[in-house]
């Protein structure tokens, strides 16, 4: 009984630590917004579109929570606006009571809670699925959330935080001895794909790996067929939005464009011309002539893409062009930015080497391959097809949790005391460096 009580207290303290960390980061984000973000005198688009610049992250969450509009690209995010709708409803109540736009506060509280839940899920994976000690589990948590764009996803509004939570939840449930019940897998698939379509493929892959050992190929095929049901439902949601809300949004945007022309036709036409040229140039770089591949870029060197963006900026922020947006219409960040200091490359190499060691030591563990599925899919998508090559680092939270899981398996499986000591020492050094370096750049940028 006493041991159980101590365990519960320790778990509570771990959760409290996560809550404090993410509460502090979201509190920091609240200090970034200008007065227009809470004023009801400005339209949501005007208030957030100009002053929200976080290197590829969209301000759409703030806009939708301020006043519900289906402005997300529904062919890629078919249910994201509806999943955010409860926050819009809460904001409408608070805004009426406090006579201000409370969207940034509603989002801050929500992101703090979701990030804390993700923190606790990862801790449960380290403790229950891998069997690590409390100290090692906490170290791996701090290591993972020290990654630049994992930390950013915990307080900068976009869909990455939802994807991260749903995929880590899928891995946790699928890694149990019995795996996931089919209805639970289908439910997670529906919501995960509703956030971003590619999440559905990842959930399906994880579920197939989890069910592989306890089912023959016929049963796996039948289980796969069940995914047709939520896919059809998502298709129906898409068509319904396309007919009801999307056309209304298009009409609204045309009206706003016409009003802008009436106010200042010369400046407006210059902006439309500049935007059209930007989109035309981006279209020329597409790997495949389809709107699903609108963000591919066949001009980017894959080698530099890997070590400067995919494994680079995603973990360690570049000092040059900090938080600039490679997809912006003006003041565009270069797709490839090099580190000024050699030790950043050493730190990146250290993370990759630990990851590779974790893959080797955990290669026979099902948990590793469950976590590897999102990573391998994103490698094919972002490195193979060069999808979102311009800002691939903002997707880090979609897959990077495989790294601490792999390292955790190495710590568990490796029996050599000397090697374990080296790994733990390296982890501590990298964790301290990641938090020091990334916060040293982020805090001055965020504070007014």
């Amino acid at each position: 009984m006493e041991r159980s009580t101590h365990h519960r207290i320790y778990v509570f303290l771990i959760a409290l630590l996560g809550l404090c960390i993410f509460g502090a980061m979201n509190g920091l984000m609240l200090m970034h917004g200008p007065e227009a973000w809470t004023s009801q005198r400005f339209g949501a688009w005007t208030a957030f579109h100009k002053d929200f610049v976080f290197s590829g992250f969209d301000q759409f969450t703030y806009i939708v929570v301020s006043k519900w509009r289906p402005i997300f690209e529904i062919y890629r995010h078919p249910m994201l606006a509806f999943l955010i709708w409860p926050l819009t409803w809460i904001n409408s109540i608070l805004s009426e009571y406090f006579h201000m736009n409370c969207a940034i506060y509603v989002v801050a509280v929500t992101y703090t809670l979701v990030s804390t839940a993700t923190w606790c899920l990862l801790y449960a994976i380290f403790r229950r699925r891998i069997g690590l000690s409390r100290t090692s589990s906490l170290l791996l948590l701090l290591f993972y959330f020290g990654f630049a764009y994992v930390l950013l996803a915990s307080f900068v509004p976009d869909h990455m935080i939802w994807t991260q939570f749903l995929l880590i939840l899928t891995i946790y449930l699928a890694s149990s001895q019995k795996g996931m019940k089919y209805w639970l897998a289908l439910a997670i698939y529906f919501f995960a794909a509703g956030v971003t379509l590619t999440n559905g493929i990842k959930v399906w892959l994880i579920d197939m790996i989890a069910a592989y050992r306890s089912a023959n190929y016929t049963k796996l095929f039948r289980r796969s067929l069940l995914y047709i049901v939520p896919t059809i439902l998502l298709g129906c949601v898409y068509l319904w939005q396309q007919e009801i809300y999307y056309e209304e949004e298009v009409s609204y945007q045309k009206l706003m464009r016409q009003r802008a022309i009436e106010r200042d036709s010369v400046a407006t036409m210059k902006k439309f011309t500049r935007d059209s040229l930007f989109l035309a140039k981006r279209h020329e770089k597409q790997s495949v002539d389809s709107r699903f591949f609108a963000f591919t870029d066949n001009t980017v060197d894959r080698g530099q893409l890997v070590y400067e963006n995919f494994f680079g900026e995603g973990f360690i922020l570049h000092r040059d062009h900090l938080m600039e947006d490679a997809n912006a219409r003006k003041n565009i960040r270069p797709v490839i930015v090099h580190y000024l200091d050699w030790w950043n490359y050493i730190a990146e190499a250290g993370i990759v080497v630990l990851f590779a060691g974790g893959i080797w030591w955990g290669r026979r563990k099902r948990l590793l391959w469950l976590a590897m599925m999102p990573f391998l899919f994103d490698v094919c998508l972002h490195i193979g097809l060069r999808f979102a090559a311009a800002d691939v680092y903002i997707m880090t939270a979609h897959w990077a949790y495989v790294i601490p899981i792999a390292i955790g398996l190495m710590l568990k499986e490796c029996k050599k005391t000397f090697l374990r000591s080296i790994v733990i020492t390296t982890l501590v050094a990298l964790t301290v460096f990641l938090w020091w370096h990334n916060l040293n750049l982020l805090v001055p940028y965020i504070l007014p």
Side-chain angles (χ1 to χ4, degrees):
M1 181 66 70
E2 184 178 352
R3 183 178 179 182
S4 177
T5 302
H6 287 164
H7 173 72
R8 290 173 183 174
I9 292 173
Y10 192 86
V11 170
F12 171 77
L13 292 175
I14 289 290
L16 184 61
L17 176 61
L19 186 66
C20 291
I21 291 173
F22 301 121
M25 297 311 302
N26 278 278
L28 189 68
M29 184 65 183
L30 292 176
M31 301 173 67
H32 177 72
E35 183 182 351
W37 287 14
T38 56
S39 174
Q40 292 183 316
R41 294 184 294 108
F42 300 93
W45 188 275
T46 302
F48 293 109
H49 194 267
K50 179 181 178 181
D51 297 301
F52 185 98
V53 182
F54 280 90
S55 195
F57 286 88
D58 292 328
Q59 67 277 23
F60 294 158
T61 299
Y62 277 156
I63 295 172
V64 173
V65 174
S66 299
K67 184 178 180 180
W68 195 86
R69 287 170 58 189
I71 58 177
F72 296 104
E73 294 177 323
I74 57 175
Y75 70 92
R76 291 195 298 129
H77 313 290
M79 285 186 58
L80 187 53
F82 287 99
L83 293 174
I84 293 175
W85 178 85
L87 303 183
T88 308
W89 175 71
I90 293 172
N91 179 56
S92 65
I93 297 173
L94 294 176
S95 297
E96 185 176 350
Y97 183 81
F98 291 105
H99 305 290
M100 60 185 289
N101 183 5
C102 298
I104 60 174
Y105 300 101
V106 173
V107 171
V109 172
T110 303
Y111 274 46
T112 298
L113 295 176
V114 175
S115 296
T116 304
T118 306
W119 165 280
C120 293
L121 273 174
L122 260 182
Y123 179 77
I125 289 176
F126 297 144
R127 288 286 287 153
R128 297 180 183 178
R129 302 294 188 251
I130 301 179
L132 294 175
S133 67
R134 295 168 180 172
T135 304
S136 296
S137 299
L138 178 58
L139 175 59
L140 286 171
L141 279 176
L142 293 171
F143 170 68
Y144 172 66
F145 283 97
F147 292 171
Y149 278 83
V150 172
L151 183 62
L152 275 162
S154 70
F155 65 91
V156 180
D158 212 317
H159 66 271
M160 290 76 183
I161 191 172
W162 304 104
T163 293
Q164 177 183 240
F165 171 74
L166 288 167
L167 292 179
I168 291 177
L169 174 63
T170 305
I171 291 169
Y172 175 73
L173 295 173
S175 59
S176 65
Q177 290 185 348
K178 296 182 179 179
M180 284 191 293
K181 297 289 186 181
Y182 70 88
W183 62 267
L184 184 57
L186 297 182
I188 295 177
Y189 169 89
F190 178 75
F191 288 105
V195 172
T196 299
L197 279 179
T198 52
N199 288 346
I201 300 174
K202 296 175 183 178
V203 171
W204 173 76
L205 288 171
I206 293 170
D207 187 36
M208 291 300 101
I209 294 295
Y212 173 73
R213 289 188 179 182
S214 60
N216 56 38
Y217 291 110
T218 303
K219 289 183 178 179
L220 283 177
F221 178 71
R222 291 175 181 172
R223 190 178 181 96
S224 292
L225 288 178
L226 293 173
Y227 282 86
I228 295 175
V229 176
T231 302
I232 292 174
L233 289 176
L234 281 172
C236 292
V237 171
Y238 168 81
L239 294 174
W240 177 63
Q241 287 189 86
Q242 186 76 21
E243 182 178 351
I244 304 297
Y245 293 105
Y246 185 71
E247 295 300 329
E248 180 182 336
E249 177 66 20
V250 170
S251 299
Y252 177 79
Q253 290 182 11
K254 287 181 179 179
L255 177 62
M256 293 297 101
R257 189 180 300 117
Q258 184 61 38
R259 289 180 178 177
I261 293 174
E262 292 173 358
R263 286 195 302 268
D264 190 340
S265 59
V266 176
T268 303
M269 292 310 297
K270 284 183 178 179
K271 180 180 181 302
F272 289 160
T273 302
R274 185 171 64 248
D275 291 350
S276 298
L277 289 173
F278 175 84
L279 293 174
K281 289 181 179 178
R282 192 170 71 180
H283 182 78
E284 292 175 359
K285 299 177 182 179
Q286 287 183 210
S287 302
V288 181
D289 188 14
S290 168
R291 69 174 181 171
F292 287 99
F293 295 88
F295 294 96
T296 56
D297 188 343
N298 56 24
T299 65
V300 179
D301 178 73
R302 286 191 176 91
Q304 294 187 78
L305 179 63
V306 169
Y307 68 81
E308 295 291 1
N309 288 0
F310 193 76
F311 284 123
E313 179 81 354
F315 303 152
I316 307 164
L317 293 172
H318 289 82
R319 292 183 182 275
D320 282 355
H321 304 282
L322 179 67
M323 293 292 108
E324 290 180 6
D325 193 344
N327 288 313
R329 303 296 197 267
K330 57 183 179 179
N331 299 325
I332 302 175
R333 170 195 172 110
V335 173
I336 301 298
V337 178
H338 301 283
Y339 289 112
L340 300 177
D341 304 310
W342 58 268
W343 54 78
N344 292 313
Y345 291 107
I346 297 298
E348 180 187 343
I351 295 171
V352 174
V353 169
L354 287 179
F355 180 34
I359 294 174
W360 173 256
W361 285 98
R363 65 190 184 279
R364 294 187 176 89
K365 298 295 181 180
R366 184 179 61 164
L367 174 60
L368 175 68
W369 294 106
L370 294 176
M372 283 289 287
M373 288 300 103
F375 168 71
L376 293 175
F377 178 83
D378 278 356
V379 166
C380 295
L381 185 67
H382 298 306
I383 307 302
L385 293 176
R386 287 177 285 195
F387 180 81
D391 51 13
V392 66
Y393 37 82
I394 71 173
M395 313 294 181
T396 304
H398 287 190
W399 60 267
Y401 40 81
V402 68
I403 296 177
I405 290 175
I407 297 172
L409 288 169
M410 176 168 59
L411 290 174
K412 183 65 177 179
E413 296 299 316
C414 180
K415 305 302 181 184
K416 298 179 180 179
T417 305
F418 178 70
L419 183 57
R420 282 175 54 85
S421 300
I422 292 177
V423 171
I424 291 174
T425 302
T426 306
L427 267 178
V428 171
L430 286 172
T431 301
V432 171
F433 171 76
L434 287 170
W435 282 92
W436 172 83
H437 175 88
N438 292 328
L439 287 180
N440 194 42
L441 295 178
L442 282 176
V443 172
Y445 179 84
I446 294 172
L447 292 178

